[in-house]
Structure formats: structure tokens, C-alpha cells
């Protein structure tokens, strides 16, 4: 009887360890951004903001870095994405930038709504020019791989325009420069410390930035060096 109990306990422990291993393995597997649009990207005061809010920023940042990558190594742009500069991988820096820009604009957009801000005729015209530039600057591959609808992206740009209007108003009110309240500005980051924002890293860290609107399935030997150079 004691042996039976002993084996039973061992079996329970083994099953528990197996469960932990499976959970750990699953939590590290990459996710497809398009399958996560309705999942939480971050929370503001306990209220969920969906992953699809990040779409515009993903498109923008992937385009910006890909253009740099084309200069670095046009035959294999993945090399640039995988570079490690100043202690940070380009890909991971892009992931961080996307989230920070998205949080910044969402918070300021909410403040703009609370303040009852509206775009005037001049600002509306500027928004239309921004929209035209956005569509014109899209890389061909990106145009074929947009993760959300055109309408959603247009609405995002409208909200960003309102966020920028609030940013200008806040900067003027506080007597600081406009850029100091940008997503990487000092006064903005001080203000951010007073906000209740929680990033859903469990999902965001599993999405491969650089491979959402683009495809990087070919990697060179060592960041742009040919095979013969590495031998």
C-alpha cells in the first residue's frame, strides 16, 4: 500500500512538472499579430486597449527601419534588423518604440477628448496631407499585408492629430517645448509616472516585430558579411 501511495505521489509530481514545462514552452512561442488584434496591448486605469491600436505604429516603425535596412544591406535587410547596437537589438528597440508611441498618443487622445478638443479647418487639412503621405510612403509589401482596415488606420491618424493638439496645448500651458511632451520627452515621462498604465508584455513580447507587415525569412551569415568573409 505504501508503495502504491509513493508511486501515486511521484506520478502527481511528474504530471505537475510536465504541466509547468508545457506552460513555459507555450508562453515562449511566437504569436501572429493578426490573431491578437482583440487581445489587450496595455491597460489604462484598468481599462483594456486592444492590440489593434498598435497597428499604425507597427506599420510606421517597420517602414522606417526597413528603409534603413535597405541602405545597410539591400540583399538581406534582416541583417540590419538583427544588429546589436549600444546594448540593444534593433528589433527590440523597435518593439519598445512602437509601444511607447502608442501609449503616449492614446493617453493624450483621451485627454483631448476630456478637454473637448476638435480639429479646426487648418488642422483637418494637415491631417489629410498626413494621410496622403502615409499611403504614399507605404512599402509595396506592407500595402499587401496591412493588419487592419484602411478605415481603422485613418481613424487612428485622426486620433493622433487630436493627441498632438493636446500635446501642444499642454506644453504651452506648462511653459515647456512641444518636443518635451513627445513620447520620449522628459516632461512627458514625468507626467507618465502619474498615470496608471500596465503593458501586456506576455503577449507583446511574443510578437515578432519586423515580420508583421514585412517578411524576413532570409538571414545572412553575420550582419551583412558574405560567407567568404567569415571563413
Amino acid at each position: 500500500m505504501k508503495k502504491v501511495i509513493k508511486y501515486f505521489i511521484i506520478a502527481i509530481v511528474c504530471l505537475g512538472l510536465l504541466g509547468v514545462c508545457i506552460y513555459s514552452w507555450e508562453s515562449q512561442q511566437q504569436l501572429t499579430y493578426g490573431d491578437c488584434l482583440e487581445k489587450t496591448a496595455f491597460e489604462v486605469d484598468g481599462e483594456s486597449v486592444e492590440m489593434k491600436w498598435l497597428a499604425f505604429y507597427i506599420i510606421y516603425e517597420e517602414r522606417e527601419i526597413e528603409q534603413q535596412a535597405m541602405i545597410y544591406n539591400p540583399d538581406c535587410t534582416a541583417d540590419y534588423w538583427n544588429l546589436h547596437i549600444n546594448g540593444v537589438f534593433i528589433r527590440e528597440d523597435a518593439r519598445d518604440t512602437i509601444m511607447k508611441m502608442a501609449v503616449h498618443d492614446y493617453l493624450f487622445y483621451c485627454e483631448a477628448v476630456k478637454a473637448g478638443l476638435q480639429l479646426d479647418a487648418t488642422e483637418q487639412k494637415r491631417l489629410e496631407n498626413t494621410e496622403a503621405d502615409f499611403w504614399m510612403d507605404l512599402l509595396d509589401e506592407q500595402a499587401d499585408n496591412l493588419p487592419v482596415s484602411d478605415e481603422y488606420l485613418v481613424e487612428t491618424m485622426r486620433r493622433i492629430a487630436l493627441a498632438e493638439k493636446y500635446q501642444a496645448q499642454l506644453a504651452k500651458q506648462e511653459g515647456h517645448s512641444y518636443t518635451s511632451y513627445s513620447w520620449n520627452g522628459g516632461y512627458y515621462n514625468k507626467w507618465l509616472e502619474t498615470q496608471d498604465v500596465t503593458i501586456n508584455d506576455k503577449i507583446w513580447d511574443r510578437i515578432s516585430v519586423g515580420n508583421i507587415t514585412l517578411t524576413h525569412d532570409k538571414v545572412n551569415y553575420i550582419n551583412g558579411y558574405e560567407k567568404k568573409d567569415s571563413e
Side-chain angles (χ1 to χ4, degrees):
M1 185 64 178
K2 289 183 178 179
K3 285 187 177 180
V4 173
I5 294 174
K6 179 181 178 181
Y7 291 145
F8 179 75
I9 292 174
I10 291 174
I12 292 297
V13 171
C14 289
L15 286 173
L17 290 173
L18 179 61
V20 170
C21 290
I22 291 175
Y23 176 80
S24 177
W25 178 79
E26 288 182 342
S27 66
Q28 295 177 31
Q29 300 309 297
Q30 287 191 347
L31 297 173
T32 300
Y33 176 71
D35 295 335
C36 303
L37 297 179
E38 296 182 359
K39 293 186 180 296
T40 298
F42 56 92
E43 292 183 354
V44 177
D45 294 328
E47 187 173 327
S48 175
V49 180
E50 294 180 340
M51 278 285 172
K52 63 182 179 181
W53 171 254
L54 305 183
F56 172 84
Y57 306 92
I58 288 169
I59 296 167
Y60 173 83
E61 190 67 8
E62 287 195 337
R63 185 196 73 210
E64 291 295 296
I65 294 179
E66 186 69 5
Q67 289 175 334
Q68 297 167 29
M70 289 175 184
I71 296 173
Y72 181 79
N73 185 1
D75 296 325
C76 184
T77 57
D79 286 351
Y80 185 79
W81 281 92
N82 294 327
L83 274 181
H84 192 260
I85 300 175
N86 297 325
V88 181
F89 284 101
I90 294 291
R91 190 183 302 275
E92 294 308 311
D93 185 59
R95 179 195 309 282
D96 189 46
T97 297
I98 288 167
M99 182 60 74
K100 286 181 176 178
M101 289 193 298
V103 168
H104 169 277
D105 289 350
Y106 183 84
L107 291 175
F108 277 8
Y109 166 69
C110 289
E111 294 297 324
V113 171
K114 290 178 186 176
L117 298 184
Q118 299 288 336
L119 299 178
D120 60 28
T122 300
E123 292 162 341
Q124 183 62 39
K125 181 61 179 178
R126 189 182 305 132
L127 171 59
E128 292 170 4
N129 291 336
T130 297
E131 291 170 359
D133 290 342
F134 173 79
W135 298 118
M136 186 179 300
D137 293 341
L138 272 181
L139 301 177
D140 291 342
E141 184 178 358
Q142 288 187 301
D144 294 332
N145 293 293
L146 294 178
V148 295
S149 68
D150 293 5
E151 293 77 14
Y152 187 84
L153 291 171
V154 168
E155 173 60 17
T156 301
M157 284 185 269
R158 184 190 71 82
R159 295 186 178 192
I160 292 173
L162 281 171
E164 291 172 344
K165 182 165 185 172
Y166 178 79
Q167 180 178 334
Q169 177 178 288
L170 179 62
K172 183 178 180 180
Q173 173 185 308
E174 297 298 322
H176 302 302
S177 68
Y178 177 83
T179 55
S180 68
Y181 282 97
S182 295
W183 66 269
N184 56 351
Y187 283 106
Y188 163 71
N189 281 293
K190 287 183 180 179
W191 178 84
L192 182 60
E193 291 173 1
T194 68
Q195 307 300 304
D196 181 13
V197 179
T198 303
I199 309 300
N200 186 7
D201 292 324
K202 290 182 179 179
I203 296 295
W204 184 230
D205 286 351
R206 295 168 62 189
I207 294 173
S208 180
V209 172
N211 292 308
I212 299 175
T213 64
L214 301 170
T215 303
H216 294 106
D217 55 1
K218 183 181 75 168
V219 180
N220 225 340
Y221 283 86
I222 304 176
N223 291 326
Y225 289 92
E226 299 294 337
K227 181 178 180 182
K228 65 179 184 300
D229 296 325
S230 61
E231 293 178 337

Coordinates of all heavy atoms in Angstrom, one line a residue, residues 30-41 50-52 203-204 206-207:
Q30 N 6.1 32.2 -30.5 CA 5.7 33.4 -31.1 C 4.2 33.4 -31.5 O 3.6 32.3 -31.8 CB 6.6 33.6 -32.4 CG 8.0 34.0 -32.1 CD 8.7 34.5 -33.3 OE1 8.3 34.3 -34.4 NE2 9.9 35.1 -33.1
L31 N 3.6 34.6 -31.5 CA 2.2 34.8 -31.9 C 2.2 35.6 -33.2 O 3.0 36.4 -33.4 CB 1.5 35.5 -30.8 CG 1.4 34.8 -29.4 CD1 0.8 35.7 -28.4 CD2 0.6 33.5 -29.5
T32 N 1.1 35.4 -33.9 CA 0.9 36.2 -35.1 C 0.0 37.4 -34.7 O -1.0 37.2 -34.1 CB 0.1 35.3 -36.2 OG1 0.9 34.2 -36.5 CG2 -0.2 36.1 -37.4
Y33 N 0.5 38.6 -35.1 CA -0.1 39.8 -34.7 C -1.6 39.8 -35.1 O -2.5 40.2 -34.3 CB 0.6 41.0 -35.2 CG -0.1 42.3 -34.9 CD1 -0.1 42.9 -33.7 CD2 -0.7 43.0 -36.0 CE1 -0.7 44.1 -33.4 CE2 -1.4 44.2 -35.7 CZ -1.4 44.7 -34.4 OH -2.0 45.9 -34.1
G34 N -1.8 39.4 -36.3 CA -3.2 39.4 -36.9 C -4.2 38.6 -36.1 O -5.4 38.8 -36.1
D35 N -3.7 37.6 -35.3 CA -4.5 36.7 -34.5 C -4.7 37.3 -33.1 O -5.5 36.8 -32.3 CB -3.9 35.3 -34.3 CG -3.8 34.6 -35.7 OD1 -4.6 34.9 -36.6 OD2 -2.9 33.7 -35.8
C36 N -4.1 38.4 -32.8 CA -4.1 39.0 -31.5 C -4.7 40.4 -31.4 O -4.6 41.1 -30.4 CB -2.7 39.1 -30.9 SG -1.8 37.5 -30.8
L37 N -5.4 40.8 -32.5 CA -5.9 42.2 -32.6 C -6.8 42.6 -31.4 O -6.9 43.7 -31.0 CB -6.6 42.4 -33.9 CG -5.7 42.3 -35.2 CD1 -6.5 42.5 -36.4 CD2 -4.6 43.2 -35.1
E38 N -7.6 41.6 -30.9 CA -8.6 41.9 -29.9 C -8.0 41.6 -28.5 O -8.7 41.9 -27.5 CB -9.8 41.2 -30.1 CG -10.6 41.6 -31.4 CD -11.9 40.8 -31.6 OE1 -12.2 40.0 -30.8 OE2 -12.5 41.1 -32.6
K39 N -6.8 41.2 -28.4 CA -6.2 41.0 -27.1 C -5.7 42.3 -26.5 O -5.5 43.3 -27.2 CB -5.0 40.0 -27.2 CG -5.5 38.6 -27.6 CD -4.3 37.6 -27.5 CE -4.8 36.2 -27.9 NZ -5.8 35.6 -26.9
T40 N -5.4 42.3 -25.2 CA -5.0 43.6 -24.6 C -3.5 43.9 -24.9 O -2.7 43.1 -24.7 CB -5.2 43.4 -23.0 OG1 -6.6 43.2 -22.7 CG2 -4.7 44.7 -22.3
A41 N -3.3 45.1 -25.3 CA -2.0 45.6 -25.6 C -1.4 46.3 -24.3 O -0.3 46.0 -23.8 CB -1.9 46.6 -26.7
E50 N -6.9 47.5 -27.0 CA -6.6 46.3 -27.8 C -5.4 46.5 -28.6 O -4.9 47.6 -29.0 CB -7.8 46.0 -28.7 CG -9.1 45.6 -27.9 CD -10.2 45.3 -28.8 OE1 -10.2 45.8 -30.0 OE2 -11.2 44.6 -28.4
M51 N -4.8 45.3 -29.0 CA -3.6 45.3 -29.8 C -3.7 46.0 -31.1 O -2.8 46.5 -31.7 CB -3.2 43.8 -30.1 CG -2.5 43.1 -29.0 SD -0.8 43.7 -28.9 CE -0.3 42.9 -27.4
K52 N -4.9 46.0 -31.7 CA -5.1 46.7 -33.0 C -4.8 48.2 -33.0 O -4.4 48.8 -34.0 CB -6.5 46.5 -33.5 CG -7.6 47.1 -32.7 CD -9.0 46.7 -33.4 CE -10.1 47.3 -32.6 NZ -11.4 47.0 -33.3
I203 N 1.9 39.1 -24.1 CA 1.5 39.0 -25.5 C 2.5 39.7 -26.4 O 3.0 39.2 -27.4 CB 0.1 39.5 -25.7 CG1 -0.9 38.7 -24.9 CG2 -0.3 39.5 -27.2 CD1 -1.1 37.2 -25.3
W204 N 2.8 41.0 -26.1 CA 3.6 41.8 -27.0 C 5.0 41.2 -27.2 O 5.5 41.3 -28.3 CB 3.6 43.2 -26.3 CG 4.4 44.2 -27.2 CD1 5.3 45.1 -26.8 CD2 4.2 44.5 -28.6 NE1 5.8 45.9 -27.8 CE2 5.0 45.6 -28.9 CE3 3.3 44.0 -29.6 CZ2 5.1 46.1 -30.2 CZ3 3.4 44.6 -30.8 CH2 4.3 45.6 -31.1
R206 N 5.8 38.3 -27.5 CA 5.8 37.1 -28.3 C 5.5 37.4 -29.8 O 5.3 36.5 -30.6 CB 4.8 36.1 -27.7 CG 5.2 35.6 -26.4 CD 4.0 34.8 -25.7 NE 3.6 33.7 -26.5 CZ 2.5 32.9 -26.2 NH1 1.7 33.3 -25.2 NH2 2.2 31.9 -26.9
I207 N 5.3 38.7 -30.1 CA 5.0 39.0 -31.5 C 6.3 39.5 -32.1 O 7.0 40.4 -31.6 CB 3.9 40.1 -31.5 CG1 2.6 39.6 -31.0 CG2 3.8 40.7 -32.9 CD1 1.5 40.6 -30.8

